[in-house]
Amino acid sequence: MEKIILLSNILRDKGLPVSIRSTKDAFSAYKIFKNRPELREALFSVYVKDMRHSEAFMDAYNEVFGVLDEENDESSGSGKGERIKSSEEQTPGEVTEGINIEDLAEIQPEIQDIFDSRTDESQILDRDMSTLNTFDPEIFELCRRLGMKIANRRSRRLRRSKKMRPDIRRSIRRNMKHGGTIIELMRAEPRERKSQHIFLSDVSGSCDWISNWFFCIVYAAQKTFYRSRFFDFDSRVIETTHLLDEDDLYDAFRNLRESRIRNLMLHGTSNMYTAFSDFLENVNFTGKSCIVILSDCRDWAGPRKDGVPESAELVAEMSERARKVLILNPEPKKKWDVVDSCVSIYRDAGAAVKEVRTLRQLAEVIEGL
């Protein structure tokens, strides 16, 4: 155990994110692969969650365990000439240091460790999304993993909600014939909740790249949303729901950008009055629908009456017809209601507004829908 603790401390000093759980997993791997040439690869799979840390791990491993002499291992017969016997090949009473599949499963780091403990990703998650304005494969992959994590958590929450909990009132009535003794336990029927989610993404110049990351996260988490639909808008509304059916996120992202180019929706100016009018006229939704709007609430080109944007009346109509209207604002709260920001006006119209200045905030809000 001392060597594993020493290795963990050296890796922390070198900048690798090593948690207590990782150290425990490494010790489990050490007990299984001790004195075997596979030890280095086993510890590598536990500690290294970013290939950029590979060299630092190798230096730390060699410092603790020494440089692996592969030629000596092969000549001594402890290398590739050695074969692990299966349980069927073992003779009665024979004790071998075999590798159990269950033991291998236990040493795998959990998804939470892989996702949350990487320093570089944590910095990206907490960066202002307005600075993420170029195509970066790392951010692209991070959004995909965020969406998958959201989908897993939403699915787990849905399964829990479907569990039939005991219905005390019905159980008491049913067991009156037994003198009040609870013999037959009655369970409540699960509530059927099928709220349609409609996503509206502002693709004007101020929200261009933010809307891209929004689409990537929704794409990866879409299976947990019932009959979800996706729309882009600036001064009009274009439905892009069909892009959610693409087999690959990269293809969906590329086709999304091409769709915006074809419809002249790159670096445009938002007119929420005409866009929301188009949406209300052409999109059917019910009182069970949840409308999620990604926008900075700045109706640049929309008409105003007595200083109040007329799009507020359309937001009020959405709020009356839908179950909920939620606006995700990528601007910090200190900029709300400044100059032409309409946050308070849209709130008064019945919409809820939440700050999603970072990818972490955006993911948390989408997960809670």
Side-chain angles (χ1 to χ4, degrees):
M1 186 64 179
E2 291 79 5
K3 288 188 176 182
I4 296 299
I5 294 176
L6 177 60
L7 179 61
S8 295
N9 290 334
I10 294 175
L11 291 174
R12 289 193 189 98
D13 294 338
K14 290 180 177 292
L16 272 72
V18 179
S19 63
I20 296 176
R21 182 179 297 166
S22 297
T23 304
K24 290 181 178 179
D25 292 337
F27 181 63
S28 299
Y30 178 75
K31 290 191 295 184
I32 296 173
F33 295 101
K34 185 178 180 181
N35 298 326
R36 292 181 178 274
E38 297 90 350
L39 175 62
R40 184 176 62 184
E41 284 71 19
L43 295 179
F44 184 92
S45 66
V46 173
Y47 282 115
V48 180
K49 305 174 181 68
D50 188 334
M51 293 306 296
R52 290 173 293 184
H53 298 152
S54 302
E55 185 176 352
F57 169 82
M58 298 304 295
D59 293 340
Y61 180 88
N62 293 335
E63 182 178 345
V64 175
F65 295 98
V67 179
L68 180 64
D69 191 350
E70 296 181 356
E71 294 182 358
N72 291 338
D73 288 339
E74 292 179 2
S75 61
S76 62
S78 61
K80 60 182 180 181
E82 183 178 350
R83 186 171 67 90
I84 301 173
K85 291 184 178 181
S86 65
S87 58
E88 297 178 355
E89 295 174 329
Q90 294 179 11
T91 58
E94 181 183 5
V95 179
T96 60
E97 191 178 355
I99 300 177
N100 195 346
I101 296 298
E102 288 76 9
D103 293 336
L104 288 175
E106 290 179 357
I107 68 173
Q108 297 297 327
E110 295 189 3
I111 295 177
Q112 187 74 16
D113 277 349
I114 295 176
F115 180 78
D116 285 336
S117 60
R118 289 173 58 172
T119 306
D120 296 335
E121 285 190 357
S122 298
Q123 293 176 353
I124 296 175
L125 284 172
D126 295 322
R127 274 178 59 184
D128 192 320
M129 280 197 293
S130 61
T131 64
L132 307 178
N133 53 8
T134 57
F135 179 78
D136 188 334
E138 291 186 14
I139 302 176
F140 185 82
E141 176 65 15
L142 177 59
C143 289
R144 185 187 67 82
R145 295 172 65 188
L146 270 176
M148 293 177 61
K149 182 178 180 181
I150 292 171
N152 291 335
R153 288 189 172 181
R154 285 180 56 85
S155 297
R156 186 162 58 246
R157 190 174 66 201
L158 182 61
R159 288 195 300 269
R160 289 175 181 172
S161 66
K162 288 184 177 180
K163 290 183 178 179
M164 295 184 293
R165 302 181 182 277
D167 190 327
I168 302 301
R169 182 174 296 180
R170 290 177 59 200
S171 297
I172 292 175
R173 290 178 179 175
R174 184 64 175 266
N175 289 276
M176 291 295 291
K177 59 184 178 182
H178 303 302
T181 303
I182 303 297
I183 297 178
E184 301 178 47
L185 183 63
M186 305 299 294
R187 295 186 177 274
E189 296 293 332
R191 295 181 180 179
E192 184 177 3
R193 297 179 179 177
K194 292 187 177 180
S195 299
Q196 180 188 27
H197 289 83
I198 300 176
F199 299 95
L200 288 168
S201 182
D202 187 348
V203 297
S204 60
S206 58
C207 296
D208 182 20
W209 276 99
I210 298 172
S211 64
N212 292 330
W213 310 131
F214 179 55
F215 174 83
C216 292
I217 294 175
V218 172
Y219 174 92
Q222 62 175 305
K223 291 184 179 180
T224 59
F225 293 106
Y226 175 71
R227 291 171 53 198
S228 59
R229 300 178 68 180
F230 201 94
F231 297 85
D232 286 344
F233 77 91
D234 51 8
S235 59
R236 56 198 172 116
V237 171
I238 301 295
E239 183 168 9
T240 54
T241 305
H242 62 282
L243 298 178
L244 297 176
D245 297 329
E246 294 283 352
D247 295 332
D248 183 70
L249 175 57
Y250 179 78
D251 292 336
F253 180 83
R254 181 188 59 197
N255 293 333
L256 177 71
R257 299 295 295 180
E258 291 178 355
S259 171
R260 293 176 181 176
I261 293 174
R262 285 196 307 269
N263 292 286
L264 303 177
M265 299 179 74
L266 286 178
H267 309 294
T269 302
S270 58
N271 186 332
M272 296 184 185
Y273 179 79
T274 56
F276 292 166
S277 297
D278 189 14
F279 174 78
L280 290 170
E281 290 176 5
N282 299 299
V283 180
N284 295 323
F285 57 91
T286 66
K288 291 185 177 181
S289 301
C290 178
I291 301 176
V292 183
I293 305 173
L294 176 72
S295 175
D296 56 4
C297 299
R298 295 185 182 273
D299 193 0
W300 294 93
R304 292 175 177 264
K305 185 176 181 180
D306 298 329
V308 178
E310 296 185 18
S311 57
E313 298 179 1
L314 304 178
V315 173
E317 183 178 348
M318 290 184 198
S319 301
E320 291 177 1
R321 292 173 51 185
R323 180 175 66 88
K324 183 178 183 180
V325 175
L326 176 62
I327 298 177
L328 309 182
N329 193 334
E331 287 189 337
K333 289 185 178 180
K334 63 182 180 181
K335 292 185 178 181
W336 293 6
D337 296 323
V338 176
V339 190
D340 57 350
S341 176
C342 311
V343 172
S344 295
I345 297 174
Y346 288 158
R347 272 179 172 169
D348 295 339
V353 184
K354 291 192 176 182
E355 177 187 358
V356 289
R357 187 171 49 86
T358 65
L359 284 175
R360 190 186 300 276
Q361 290 176 324
L362 179 60
E364 289 174 352
V365 172
I366 295 177
E367 180 186 332
L369 292 177

